[in-house]
Amino acid sequence: EVQLVESGGGLVQTGGSLRLSCAASGFTFDDYAIGWFRQAPGKEPEGVSCLNSGDGSTYYASSVKGRFTMSSDSAKKMVYLQMSGLKFEDTAVYYCVAVATGWGSECSYYGLNYWGKGTLVTVSS
């Protein structure tokens, strides 16, 4: 059974930092491209950061570039999102996502995909 389990969310003040973790299991980690999406209340999900395992390139949404850093440890099947300089508008549920076909532009994808249940990040102003 494929599982993506996020952790590390919570309440933080503006300007603070959080580190999200995603534990992956039930699939061959290196065969999938992994990313972080978020969904704010009343909004559609958006790709925050996506890592292509093939060339190691990482996409960051313009709204988080320079503040967020995505990393992965394939041996541990873990993915991380280090978030700093948090802003009120970063408040959202953050999801770990795995896709079989790799990422297109701006974390676009098609085909087989898996999502975790999400972890809530709340930034107080």
Side-chain angles (χ1 to χ4, degrees), residues 4-85:
L4 297 165
V5 181
E6 304 93 339
S7 60
L11 175 64
V12 63
Q13 290 185 332
T14 298
S17 299
L18 282 176
R19 187 196 195 203
L20 305 185
S21 299
C22 170
S25 62
F27 62 98
T28 303
F29 189 81
D30 290 339
D31 287 348
Y32 283 73
I34 307 293
W36 287 95
F37 280 61
R38 69 184 180 185
Q39 186 170 23
K43 294 188 176 181
E44 294 292 316
E46 64 166 335
V48 175
S49 180
C50 298
L51 173 64
N52 273 308
S53 58
D55 61 8
S57 61
T58 307
Y59 162 84
Y60 293 98
S62 58
S63 57
V64 307
K65 193 174 292 184
R67 301 187 297 120
F68 289 12
T69 302
M70 180 177 175
S71 61
S72 68
D73 185 333
S74 59
K76 295 182 179 179
K77 294 188 176 182
M78 294 292 297
V79 184
Y80 307 97
L81 185 68
Q82 179 67 48
M83 307 185 296
S84 60

Side-chain angles (χ1 to χ4, degrees), residues 2-4 26-27 32 35 96-100 109 111-116:
V2 172
Q3 282 194 318
L4 297 165
F27 62 98
Y32 283 73
C96 181
V97 181
V99 300
Y109 65 93
L112 186 62
N113 61 93
Y114 300 105
W115 289 63

